Amino acid sequence: MATTPRSGGASGTGTAQRPNGTSQNKSCQFKLVLLGESAVGKSSLVLRFVKGQFHEYQESTIGAAFLTQTICIEDTVVKFEIWDTAGQERYHSLAPMYYRGAQAAIVVYDIQNQDSFQRAKTWVKELHKQASPNIVIALAGNKADLSNIRVVEFDEAKQYAEENGLLFMETSAKTGMNVNDIFLAIAKKLPKNDGANNQGTSIRPTGTETNRPTNNCCK
Amino acid sequence: MKTGSNETFSVLKMEKILAVQSDEYTKLQRCYVELQRKYNENIASSENEESGLSSFLSRLSLTVASLFDKNTYADIYIRSQTRVFPAHKIVLHARSEKWGNDLLSNIQQLDWSDLNEDVVLSLLRWIYTDLIDLQNDGLALDLLKAAHRFGLPSLLGICERALVTSVGVRSCIRFYCVAEEVGASTLLEYCSSIISTHWDDLTTDDFQHMSGPLLFEMLKTKTKHPLHAAVRLLREDVVSLCIQKYGNSLVNTFSENGILPLEMALSSKNAKIAKSLVDNGMANINAVNMEGFSLLKSALKNGDAFSANFLLDQNCLLDLPSKPSSDTALHIICNYGPDNTPEIMEVVKKILQRQLNINIQNIKGETPLHIAIARRNVEMVKLLLKVPNIDINLRTYDEKCALELSLSMGDHEFLIASILLSMGARTDRTNSKTGDSLLQVFALDRHRGEKSAIFLADFADLDHINFRGLTALHIAALNNMPNLVKKLIVNGASSNLKHIDCGLKSALHIAVEANAIDALEAFVELKNKSHDIDFNCQDINGDSPLSLCLSLKRTTLVPTLIRGGSDVNGKNKNNLSPLHQSIKNEDSDISLFLLEQGADITALTENLDSALDLSIKHDLSEVVDALCRRGIALSINKNGESPLWSALEKGYEDVAKILVRHGIDTDCWDEGPEGCRQTLLHRAIDENKESVAIFLIQSQCDLDSSRQPGPNGEGGDEAQDKASPLHLCCHWGQTKVLQTLIDHGANVNLIDAESKSPLHVAIESQYDEIISILLCHPDIDLKLRDKSGNTPFATALDFRNHNAAQRILDRFPTAAEQMDIRGRNFLHLAILKDDLESVLFLLAIQVDVNSRVHDANQSSPLHLAAASQNEMITRNLILAGARMNERDAVQKLPLHIAIERGNLPAVSALIQNNADYDATDADGNNALHIAVRCAQFFIVRELLTESRVNAEATNLKGRNPLHELCRVVEDSTAGLICELFLESMPKYPINIPDMDGNTPLLLSFMRGQSPLCKILVKAGACLGTENKDGINIFNFKLATDQLLHNLLDQLPQESPWAESDYCQHCTNRFTITMRKHHCRHCGRVLCSKCSCNDVPILKFGINKPVRVCTVCFNVLQCGNGSLS
């Protein structure tokens, strides 16, 4: 089972600070959901982003996995609460539960698999219809390291993304290509004011007095 | 005088002849051609020089040519056979000297009427024109003669060359004669060479035109054996010449081919030459040729009656030895066969008149009579039989007598045989190797012997037994000879005669063994005519003909044997009746036939198998049907098996259907596992015999009964589990059988001993297809609970068969809302089992995520999840809408429970999702209180760093979390948590008393928690504080004072001053006169008496003496002493 990594938190021997102290930096957290057909590499993307690892043989996800990762953008500490959903059809009815209230979504397809791209389009339509109106959607063409046997053309996906107001990158969880970049792009696009943060049901209020310097902020 | 065209023609002819001539002749021809060419050149040259002379010669030649057959200037006439030709003497004279003035001057006509008309015409044309056509050999030959006659050498040469060109093998002799006659030496030599080359190819006709002396001379030169050649050419005159010249020296000489002249003459049927050779040449009529045969025998071998008669007339010898066959002349003649010529018969008569021994045997032991009979030479046979001393009983060396031979040769009338028998031929002699009598020999000949045997049956011993123990009747039966069988029986042969050498088999046994249907029919026919034939006799193996027949599977013979009187119920040595045997042979037709003949259906085999058992075993459905219709019992067999089971087990459905149609028990309760009682259906399902089970169901067996205990309660689990056939199918996954059961009305709601329905069992066994079938049944009861209280839906969740659960919900929407006896629904149970997949399934079907357990605790699903080790269950419940701030019956939130369980992931999840961390339980404790009290360091840290929990909140007893920490937490964990508090909240109020006045330091000191006390003191805890009972760390009695002294010794700074109305050492009340003083080290408030010591506190940086209490004085002094 997936467990919550502690890489974003303070270590036991570090200096602990209450969140009610004076804050030198803004911090905010966002719910991000990964969607896509089974075996396109959603879990591998998240594993690469959070732990910097890649497993050649990844087991199927049951329901969804939950991981967190914190990144720094300018003077803001952004914490992603990532729901890595299962792609099997039998879990499809649970998808609204995962993307409801999410500020961001990454829809993943496999560049070797045309069906997965079609499925990605279906997810985009569903998100536009049922998810938060301001959700930031990124389209990820994974397994870009296998571009010599690609089926989905880069230009086709890029055009689709532009037509639908999506971020678009081809990624490779195996090589790490564009993995951090796509999360960074999402973070940059997300609104960081308090008003926007309060729209989500899972967002904790962050006061300006928060003073929580961390040692592993940008790992 | 020759014209150009004539020269050209001559050249062409010479070129043709050149190809076949010798080198010398070729050279001569080349000279001739060259000469002709030179001559032509001379003529041409001459013409150039003397044109007048050439012109004259030409005109003269043309003039002469024009006189042919003209009367112009004619002065003589030539008479042919039909006409008279005008001619000119001068022209004739120019051609030949024979026509000179002496001959022609006084005559007016030449008579050439003896010449052929064509010859005359050609001859005259040549005389006048020098032109001639010699394409015809005959014409050329005649012209050759004419040229010779009239002295025309040039014409002779032309004809000779033409003939040389066309001479052949057939014509060379004739050409040779003419050439010799006219002196054409070139042609003669050429023909001679051809004759030499093809000498052996030349025939009598070729030499018929040659004179005797000439031929004689030629033969002398051409062959070493001129006499042989003369005989071959049938030239009697030349033969005489040879005899005259050479005497008899050549007469008895063999040629290169090993032939005598007399032999050649006889072969040519030339009596004159033969006679001449014998009479004049003294030829040896008894000579033996190179093959070892006398001339007589050689002639007879060739069927040459002429030669034979000639030799016999010359009184040649008849007894000369002949190798290798040792045949006499009569042997040879008898070998000719049935078509004898009168000439041959004449030869025979002459031989017989010599009164020789006609019983001589050749190398094979054959007499002439034997050979004549074998060759069907009837005429010779009759003739030989008339000889007085003929021995008709002589046998050849392979033991064949004349009678046998005569019968073998296919004499349909048996004429010769009859004669032989009338003359006393014996029939009782036997073959020395086989012991067969003559009758048996013919009986053994299955192709042609029957008629002969029938004929012979009137004369022979009918019951003779050969070395194999067989009589003629046995053999007739063996070879399927019905007519011979009848003849033998009618003539008195014993049909029941048996011999040990053939296994005590009767003729009937033999007939059966040989599958001789015709012979058997004959036996039956004779039986019906009251002949004594036993159809039930037994051989050495105890087989009757019928049982033997069935053993050998000679099925076509069975009806015949029955008609003959075979016992349809006779047993063989294996106690098998014919019906048993036919069934074992898998022969339905014969079995049915036997049943119709009254076979005993109740008979048992040696192994106690009934006919029904055997029929089922061999899948003979028709026989089974027939047996059933005859009322055979359908009870269990000797092995305790139902006949129906026996049939079905082997896949014989046709047989099974017949049994069912005749009312066999399709249930057949019988002993099952460990002695329980079960039906065939139970057994079929248990043994995984799907087709058997389906058949039984379709045959309307008991569909719903479970197995039962035995008569005395025997049986294990099977006897007690009350599992219906449907249960068994669900347990073993037999989908087709289950479908069949349902189609035929099986009760889908029966419960077993565990109160499980078939659906329960199917879900537990995880057979999705079976589950689907059951759920489609209109009568399925989805509310049934087993003894564990589980409905099928509950069972599906237990076994994580979510597909089945979904289908049950489709059929029974409220299934998911059921609760167990402890008030828990499926979501509660799934959470309690940490079953994430089931939780997800239930969330997907949108169960109520806030339903509470119906017990005293009233836990919500999130309360249960807070205790779960699967973090994702908590997170998914939150996402699904579970309310995080619900309280259970004891006012606990899920967060509280998570903290109590030490479930950090759940705590994190709840905090991240904004759970109310400041909410209090029934005792007023918030999350931090609970975490501290439970010594959950990591959860404390999570609360302090990730939430804004109120760290100073007090519960109903006025205690903040630090109080709780100091009061209850053990070991070093408390110290770690305390340090965490102070690190994250440097200004945390560590000296606040609770409702009893206890400070954290006092609480920890009273429990003797040294590490915790040190941390608090270091943080600035007030050492002199006392609670409402007046207890402080100085007067609280521990086992030793070590802790207090250690705290004072390590005191890093001046302690905050305590406040009290009494001296904290002597407890005297302060007054106007007794003033308050504070120890500068521990901060206690003291009277002057109790603080009368003044010492410097160097560790505090105080160098001048200050007031300290007695206790601190002692500690400081000890410390100062150590330093000094």
Side-chain angles (χ1 to χ4, degrees):
Chain A
M1 304 298 295
T3 58
T4 302
R6 302 307 308 159
S7 59
S11 66
T13 58
T15 303
Q17 292 293 330
R18 296 297 323 277
N20 55 1
T22 302
S23 171
Q24 298 178 355
N25 296 310
K26 293 191 296 182
S27 70
C28 50
Q29 63 183 32
F30 303 105
K31 179 181 179 183
L32 183 149
V33 62
L34 274 85
L35 300 164
E37 190 167 87
S38 178
V40 295
K42 300 184 294 298
S43 295
S44 295
L45 270 179
V46 175
L47 189 65
R48 171 67 72 186
F49 176 59
V50 173
K51 296 187 176 180
Q53 297 174 8
F54 176 80
H55 296 157
E56 191 69 41
Y57 301 103
Q58 185 79 21
E59 290 188 2
S60 292
T61 304
I62 299 174
F66 180 83
L67 302 93
T68 60
Q69 176 67 304
T70 301
I71 61 175
C72 292
I73 300 178
E74 297 167 349
D75 59 345
T76 304
V77 175
V78 176
K79 179 180 181 182
F80 283 114
E81 295 178 340
I82 304 168
W83 286 92
D84 170 29
T85 65
Q88 288 99 327
E89 184 62 28
R90 62 193 170 110
Y91 294 115
H92 177 258
S93 62
L94 293 171
M97 188 172 77
Y98 295 120
Y99 62 66
R100 181 169 56 241
Q103 284 83 28
I106 301 177
V107 180
V108 186
Y109 68 94
D110 178 354
I111 65 170
Q112 302 175 86
N113 187 335
Q114 184 71 39
D115 289 341
S116 69
F117 183 59
Q118 296 300 324
R119 183 71 180 132
K121 292 180 178 179
T122 303
W123 280 117
V124 170
K125 290 186 178 70
E126 183 169 337
L127 289 173
H128 281 162
K129 184 182 297 184
Q130 299 185 25
S132 301
N134 298 324
I135 190 169
V136 174
I137 303 174
L139 182 65
N142 196 33
K143 306 188 184 181
D145 54 292
L146 300 173
S147 60
N148 58 333
I149 54 175
R150 70 164 59 238
V151 173
V152 183
E153 294 299 330
F154 179 91
D155 290 342
E156 178 186 4
K158 182 176 175 61
Q159 180 179 354
Y160 174 81
E162 290 174 348
E163 290 171 353
N164 291 274
L166 313 177
L167 295 172
F168 172 68
M169 286 185 187
E170 285 195 345
T171 62
S172 172
K174 188 169 187 178
T175 65
M177 186 188 88
N178 280 345
V179 173
N180 289 337
D181 293 342
I182 195 166
F183 283 94
L184 196 63
I186 292 170
K188 288 179 178 179
K189 194 171 182 181
L190 286 167
K192 303 177 186 58
N193 54 72
D194 292 346
N197 292 341
N198 287 331
Q199 291 181 359
T201 59
S202 63
I203 298 298
R204 294 177 61 252
T206 304
T208 56
E209 70 279 10
T210 301
N211 182 14
R212 295 180 54 246
T214 60
N215 297 334
N216 303 313
C217 181
C218 299
K219 63 183 293 184
Chain B
M1 292 294 293
K2 291 181 169 56
T3 63
S5 61
N6 182 49
E7 294 166 351
T8 302
F9 180 79
S10 297
V11 169
L12 290 174
K13 296 298 291 184
M14 282 187 285
E15 286 178 352
K16 291 180 181 179
I17 296 168
L18 181 62
V20 296
Q21 295 298 314
S22 65
D23 290 344
E24 184 174 357
Y25 187 73
T26 300
K27 291 178 182 178
L28 184 60
Q29 289 301 312
R30 290 197 186 106
C31 292
Y32 183 82
V33 170
E34 183 66 19
L35 185 58
Q36 286 288 329
R37 187 179 64 78
K38 289 180 179 179
Y39 176 78
N40 290 335
E41 289 178 355
N42 290 335
I43 292 296
S45 160
S46 177
E47 288 178 355
N48 291 334
E49 293 175 359
E50 300 178 8
S51 59
L53 181 57
S54 175
S55 176
F56 173 80
L57 290 175
S58 296
R59 286 201 302 274
L60 181 59
S61 175
L62 291 173
T63 301
V64 170
S66 67
L67 294 177
F68 174 63
D69 201 21
K70 297 290 194 307
N71 290 315
T72 307
Y73 308 126
D75 56 359
I76 193 168
Y77 294 91
I78 298 174
R79 180 185 297 278
S80 66
Q81 293 176 356
T82 59
R83 62 174 287 189
V84 175
F85 293 88
H88 306 78
K89 292 182 180 180
I90 189 168
V91 173
L92 294 178
H93 177 68
R95 284 294 189 184
S96 174
E97 290 298 331
K98 290 187 177 181
W99 291 326
N101 292 330
D102 295 342
L103 175 63
L104 299 180
S105 60
N106 296 322
I107 63 174
Q108 297 298 318
Q109 180 174 332
L110 293 173
D111 185 7
W112 288 0
S113 61
D114 59 337
L115 297 177
N116 184 274
E117 188 75 16
D118 292 334
V119 172
V120 171
L121 186 61
S122 297
L123 181 58
L124 286 173
R125 181 182 291 113
W126 176 79
I127 288 172
Y128 280 85
T129 64
D130 212 25
L131 298 175
I132 194 164
D133 182 5
L134 296 176
Q135 298 299 322
N136 187 301
D137 287 348
L139 179 62
L141 203 60
D142 289 338
L143 284 173
L144 185 70
K145 294 177 182 178
H148 177 263
R149 171 180 171 183
F150 297 128
L152 301 170
S154 61
L155 180 59
L156 187 73
I158 294 171
C159 293
E160 185 177 18
R161 289 191 289 274
L163 288 169
V164 166
T165 302
S166 63
V167 67
V169 174
R170 298 270 75 85
S171 59
C172 63
I173 300 299
R174 185 157 58 92
F175 285 16
Y176 180 91
C177 293
V178 172
E180 193 274 339
E181 179 182 346
V182 302
S185 60
T186 302
L187 181 60
L188 190 69
E189 291 175 4
Y190 187 76
C191 290
S192 177
S193 68
I194 292 177
I195 291 169
S196 297
T197 302
H198 300 282
W199 177 252
D200 294 332
D201 298 326
L202 298 174
T203 63
T204 303
D205 292 338
D206 294 325
F207 288 98
Q208 65 183 350
H209 304 293
M210 185 177 286
S211 65
L214 179 60
L215 180 55
F216 176 64
E217 292 298 326
M218 175 175 285
L219 293 178
K220 285 195 296 181
T221 60
K222 298 299 182 182
T223 178
K224 297 179 181 178
H225 301 284
L227 180 57
H228 290 83
V231 173
R232 184 168 74 87
L233 297 176
L234 301 180
R235 295 296 293 265
E236 182 180 352
D237 51 349
V238 180
V239 168
S240 298
L241 291 174
C242 288
I243 293 173
Q244 291 173 10
K245 181 170 181 64
Y246 298 106
N248 59 0
S249 64
L250 294 181
V251 172
N252 295 317
T253 304
F254 290 100
S255 68
E256 293 89 348
N257 296 333
I259 301 174
L260 293 172
L262 179 57
E263 193 171 5
M264 297 174 69
L266 292 171
S267 297
S268 302
K269 294 183 170 55
N270 194 314
K272 290 182 179 180
I273 294 177
K275 186 71 172 176
S276 176
L277 289 169
V278 171
D279 294 342
N280 301 325
M282 303 301 290
N284 183 8
I285 61 173
N286 296 315
V288 176
N289 64 17
M290 295 184 70
E291 295 179 351
F293 292 104
S294 67
L295 293 181
L296 176 62
K297 292 180 180 177
S298 179
L300 291 172
K301 283 174 66 70
N302 295 325
D304 187 353
F306 169 83
S307 300
N309 276 311
F310 178 89
L311 293 168
L312 288 169
D313 290 339
Q314 298 295 320
N315 292 319
C316 66
L317 299 177
L318 294 176
D319 55 356
L320 292 174
S322 174
K323 295 180 178 179
S325 65
S326 301
D327 286 339
T328 66
L330 281 176
H331 283 96
I332 297 171
I333 295 171
C334 290
N335 245 318
Y336 289 166
D339 299 326
N340 295 317
T341 62
E343 293 80 6
I344 289 294
M345 296 311 298
E346 184 179 352
V347 171
V348 170
K349 289 176 182 177
K350 289 179 180 178
I351 293 174
L352 292 178
Q353 288 171 2
R354 302 276 288 266
Q355 297 183 357
L356 298 176
N357 180 11
I358 63 171
N359 294 321
I360 293 173
Q361 294 173 282
N362 63 9
I363 197 169
K364 297 180 180 179
E366 297 168 325
T367 65
L369 179 61
H370 290 143
I371 296 176
I373 294 172
R375 298 290 292 168
R376 303 186 182 185
N377 197 336
V378 176
E379 192 173 11
M380 282 297 299
V381 169
K382 292 180 177 179
L383 205 57
L384 290 171
L385 290 176
K386 291 178 181 178
V387 177
N389 60 346
I390 188 71
D391 184 354
I392 62 174
N393 288 316
L394 275 176
R395 299 202 294 181
T396 62
Y397 294 153
D398 59 354
E399 301 186 8
K400 292 184 182 297
C401 63
L403 179 59
E404 179 175 352
L405 291 171
S406 67
L407 292 170
S408 299
M409 73 179 188
D411 180 6
H412 299 293
E413 301 298 330
F414 302 113
L415 179 60
I416 295 176
S418 299
I419 296 172
L420 290 170
L421 288 166
S422 67
M423 293 176 65
R426 296 172 59 186
T427 60
D428 56 348
R429 302 177 73 179
T430 59
N431 186 293
S432 61
K433 294 180 179 178
T434 64
D436 290 325
S437 69
L438 199 60
L439 178 61
Q440 288 167 318
V441 167
F442 286 111
L444 284 167
D445 184 358
R446 63 178 64 236
H447 300 293
R448 299 174 299 177
E450 184 174 17
K451 290 184 177 180
S452 301
I454 291 171
F455 170 82
L456 202 58
D458 290 329
F459 305 93
D461 177 10
L462 303 180
D463 290 331
H464 173 76
I465 298 174
N466 65 10
F467 295 162
R468 292 190 293 163
L470 302 175
T471 65
L473 186 61
H474 284 98
I475 297 170
L478 176 68
N479 289 339
N480 197 23
M481 298 176 171
N483 295 319
L484 180 55
V485 166
K486 294 175 185 177
K487 181 70 172 180
L488 292 171
I489 295 292
V490 169
N491 280 15
S494 174
S495 68
N496 304 323
L497 187 61
K498 295 181 289 184
H499 196 274
I500 191 64
D501 289 339
C502 67
L504 294 180
K505 286 186 169 67
S506 69
L508 284 168
H509 289 100
I510 299 297
V512 168
E513 208 166 52
N515 201 17
I517 180 67
D518 296 328
L520 277 180
E521 290 288 349
F523 279 115
V524 171
E525 184 179 341
L526 294 169
K527 171 79 174 186
N528 293 334
K529 294 180 178 179
S530 303
H531 284 275
D532 180 22
I533 301 173
D534 184 5
F535 273 78
N536 294 303
C537 58
Q538 294 187 336
D539 63 7
I540 197 169
N541 295 321
D543 279 317
S544 69
L546 180 58
S547 60
L548 179 65
C549 172
L550 293 168
S551 296
L552 299 175
K553 300 186 179 180
R554 307 277 197 260
T555 55
T556 56
L557 306 181
V558 170
T560 305
L561 289 170
I562 297 293
R563 283 192 282 109
S566 292
D567 182 6
V568 296
N569 293 315
K571 298 289 187 66
N572 64 5
K573 68 173 183 177
N574 294 325
N575 208 31
L576 296 174
S577 71
L579 180 61
H580 295 146
Q581 287 183 278
S582 63
I583 292 170
K584 293 185 77 172
N585 289 347
E586 300 186 358
D587 192 329
S588 293
D589 293 335
I590 292 299
S591 300
L592 294 173
F593 175 79
L594 291 171
L595 288 170
E596 291 170 358
Q597 302 300 313
D600 181 10
I601 63 174
T602 62
L604 299 178
T605 67
E606 192 174 62
N607 296 326
L608 302 182
D609 287 318
S610 69
L612 181 65
D613 297 329
L614 295 176
S615 302
I616 293 170
K617 180 179 178 181
H618 293 279
D619 192 19
L620 304 182
S621 55
E622 295 172 346
V623 179
V624 170
D625 190 28
L627 289 168
C628 291
R629 283 190 278 102
R630 284 169 170 78
I632 196 168
L634 298 179
S635 56
I636 61 174
N637 59 23
K638 63 180 175 67
N639 298 320
E641 295 281 352
S642 162
L644 181 59
W645 180 262
S646 299
L648 291 170
E649 190 175 30
K650 294 180 172 62
Y652 301 151
E653 284 211 358
D654 289 341
V655 171
K657 288 176 182 176
I658 291 168
L659 293 170
V660 170
R661 190 166 68 242
H662 288 283
I664 195 169
D665 183 7
T666 55
D667 295 322
C668 195
W669 285 91
D670 196 13
E671 183 175 335
E674 301 183 50
C676 70
R677 304 286 295 174
Q678 65 175 3
T679 65
L680 296 179
L681 180 59
H682 292 130
R683 183 178 178 185
I685 297 171
D686 202 33
E687 297 183 11
N688 199 26
K689 296 187 186 299
E690 188 174 86
S691 60
V692 173
I694 291 174
F695 180 91
L696 291 168
I697 295 163
Q698 293 171 342
S699 302
Q700 300 177 12
C701 66
D702 184 350
L703 305 180
D704 294 325
S705 294
S706 63
R707 288 185 172 110
Q708 303 296 325
N712 298 313
E714 299 95 334
D717 291 340
E718 292 89 351
Q720 308 297 333
D721 62 12
K722 299 297 181 183
S724 72
L726 272 179
H727 285 96
L728 297 179
C729 289
C730 293
H731 183 69
W732 297 113
Q734 296 187 21
T735 307
K736 292 182 180 178
V737 177
L738 177 131
Q739 182 72 67
T740 308
L741 281 166
I742 290 175
D743 292 343
H744 286 76
N747 186 351
V748 295
N749 294 318
L750 289 174
I751 57 174
D752 62 9
E754 295 292 323
S755 297
K756 294 182 189 294
S757 70
L759 182 57
H760 281 99
V761 178
I763 293 170
E764 290 178 1
S765 303
Q766 304 193 38
Y767 292 117
D768 288 340
E769 190 175 358
I770 289 179
I771 294 167
S772 297
I773 293 170
L774 291 171
L775 287 173
C776 290
H777 196 284
D779 297 330
I780 189 75
D781 184 358
L782 297 175
K783 299 186 183 68
L784 293 174
R785 290 176 180 264
D786 60 16
K787 285 191 173 181
S788 302
N790 288 330
T791 61
F793 182 81
T795 305
L797 291 183
D798 281 353
F799 284 83
R800 297 191 179 185
N801 193 336
H802 296 145
N803 288 330
Q806 182 66 64
R807 296 202 56 159
I808 294 172
L809 283 176
D810 293 340
R811 178 72 186 267
F812 185 37
T814 62
E817 299 175 8
Q818 297 173 12
M819 294 186 175
D820 64 6
I821 58 177
R822 297 170 61 180
R824 300 171 297 188
N825 64 20
F826 298 111
L827 181 58
H828 300 144
L829 294 170
I831 296 169
L832 288 171
K833 291 188 289 186
D834 286 336
D835 185 350
L836 173 62
E837 286 199 66
S838 294
V839 170
L840 291 173
F841 170 75
L842 292 165
L843 296 181
I845 64 175
Q846 299 181 7
V847 296
D848 181 5
V849 294
N850 292 304
S851 62
R852 291 173 178 267
V853 177
H854 286 190
D855 62 0
N857 211 40
Q858 296 290 302
S859 300
S860 73
L862 201 52
H863 283 93
L864 302 175
S868 168
Q869 296 305 307
N870 193 327
E871 166 200 1
M872 294 306 297
I873 293 179
T874 300
R875 291 188 180 276
N876 278 281
L877 284 173
I878 293 170
L879 285 183
R883 293 189 289 269
M884 288 179 288
N885 299 321
E886 295 273 314
R887 295 177 182 272
D888 60 11
V890 293
Q891 302 299 310
K892 290 184 184 294
L893 269 62
L895 179 59
H896 297 158
I897 295 176
I899 294 171
E900 288 175 351
R901 296 284 199 277
N903 193 348
L904 176 61
V907 171
S908 297
L910 289 164
I911 289 173
Q912 289 168 6
N913 287 279
N914 208 23
D916 185 1
Y917 36 74
D918 284 330
T920 60
D921 61 8
D923 296 326
N925 296 306
N926 69 5
L928 189 56
H929 279 103
I930 299 171
V932 166
R933 186 170 56 211
C934 295
Q936 300 288 348
F937 171 82
F938 292 105
I939 295 179
V940 169
R941 187 177 70 174
E942 182 80 10
L943 286 166
L944 292 177
T945 60
E946 303 297 330
S947 76
R948 293 186 295 177
V949 66
N950 183 0
E952 300 176 19
T954 58
N955 57 20
L956 298 182
K957 294 186 176 180
R959 299 189 181 109
N960 64 23
L962 188 57
H963 286 124
E964 293 292 329
L965 177 69
C966 295
R967 193 172 70 87
V968 300
V969 179
E970 300 288 345
D971 302 322
S972 61
T973 305
L976 290 173
I977 296 175
C978 186
E979 287 178 340
L980 182 62
F981 264 62
L982 298 175
E983 175 188 347
S984 62
M985 297 173 287
K987 298 180 181 179
Y988 191 84
I990 64 174
N991 290 311
I992 293 177
D994 60 11
M995 295 177 68
D996 296 329
N998 293 308
T999 63
L1001 175 59
L1002 184 54
L1003 289 167
S1004 63
F1005 184 89
M1006 288 190 290
R1007 293 174 54 229
Q1009 299 293 314
S1010 174
L1012 185 55
C1013 291
K1014 291 178 181 178
I1015 294 170
L1016 289 168
V1017 167
K1018 185 176 180 181
C1022 178
L1023 279 72
T1025 304
E1026 59 185 31
N1027 61 19
K1028 292 182 178 179
D1029 297 330
I1031 301 298
N1032 57 53
I1033 66 172
F1034 291 94
N1035 60 23
F1036 185 81
K1037 295 302 181 183
L1038 295 174
T1040 65
D1041 293 331
Q1042 185 68 31
L1043 176 58
L1044 176 58
H1045 289 169
N1046 286 338
L1047 291 174
L1048 292 173
D1049 185 39
Q1050 298 175 16
L1051 192 63
Q1053 72 280 325
E1054 183 177 352
S1055 172
W1057 285 357
E1059 291 295 336
S1060 175
D1061 291 337
Y1062 299 91
C1063 175
Q1064 292 186 303
H1065 186 75
C1066 65
T1067 69
N1068 290 326
R1069 186 176 182 87
F1070 290 109
T1071 62
I1072 299 174
T1073 57
M1074 183 178 290
R1075 308 273 305 169
K1076 294 180 179 177
H1077 299 282
H1078 288 88
C1079 176
R1080 295 296 193 276
H1081 186 242
C1082 68
R1084 287 195 290 169
V1085 59
L1086 303 163
C1087 63
S1088 61
K1089 182 178 181 181
C1090 295
S1091 61
C1092 62
N1093 300 297
D1094 293 332
V1095 294
I1097 307 175
L1098 298 178
K1099 64 179 181 179
F1100 289 175
I1102 303 174
N1103 296 322
K1104 62 181 180 180
V1106 293
R1107 187 187 292 272
V1108 298
C1109 65
T1110 305
V1111 175
C1112 290
F1113 177 79
N1114 291 330
V1115 170
L1116 290 171
Q1117 286 297 107
C1118 290
N1120 289 337
S1122 298
L1123 291 175
S1124 66

